[in-house]
Amino acid sequence: MDDRTFSAPPSALRFRTLLYRYWFFAWLFRDAGRGTVFERAAAWRHNREQARWLPTYLRRWATLGLVFFVLGALVELAGGTAMLAALFFVPSAISVPVNAVISVAWLGLKLLPGPL
């Protein structure tokens, strides 16, 4: 991504970019494995500060998973086909590993010492 997407006001961002930022958190973080020792330390501090947003993403994905699971269960109860129910159960199942990744990233940034 280029720098203008980070500095643009939210109203100037395209809907696709806003949607990506709502569901995925990678844009918040900097690469702490590149640069000089000082740049890596600054990136680590930045990432630790940005980790405060990870529980928000965790809640979003958990809610999405729960909603899709309930929709899949309702389709099954209503006598819908298994393929139709799978359209809801698959996103529900995908939310589980996404939440696991978010949890590990959050705990790692909160509990582990810096790379230096």
Side-chain angles (χ1 to χ4, degrees):
M1 289 187 147
D2 54 36
D3 289 331
R4 69 181 168 82
T5 58
F6 290 108
S7 61
S11 62
L13 295 176
R14 295 189 333 208
F15 177 72
R16 186 174 72 190
T17 303
L18 290 174
L19 192 62
Y20 169 79
R21 288 183 177 188
Y22 185 81
W23 290 109
F24 301 101
F25 55 88
W27 66 277
L28 289 169
F29 298 98
R30 296 185 182 152
D31 186 359
R34 291 188 180 178
T36 66
V37 172
F38 299 113
E39 291 170 338
R40 290 194 313 264
W44 179 258
R45 284 190 307 274
H46 171 79
N47 292 345
R48 288 191 72 158
E49 291 171 11
Q50 294 300 330
R52 72 178 187 267
W53 296 108
L54 290 176
T56 301
Y57 285 92
L58 189 70
R59 282 189 301 273
R60 288 176 185 168
W61 278 96
T63 303
L64 180 78
L66 183 64
V67 166
F68 273 97
F69 183 81
V70 168
L71 288 173
L74 289 174
V75 167
E76 276 191 344
L77 286 174
T81 64
M83 290 300 285
L84 184 59
L87 287 174
F88 297 107
F89 284 135
V90 169
S92 174
I94 289 173
S95 72
V96 174
V98 171
N99 277 335
V101 168
I102 294 171
S103 299
V104 168
W106 183 64
L107 289 172
L109 285 168
K110 290 294 181 186
L111 300 177
L112 293 177
L116 305 174

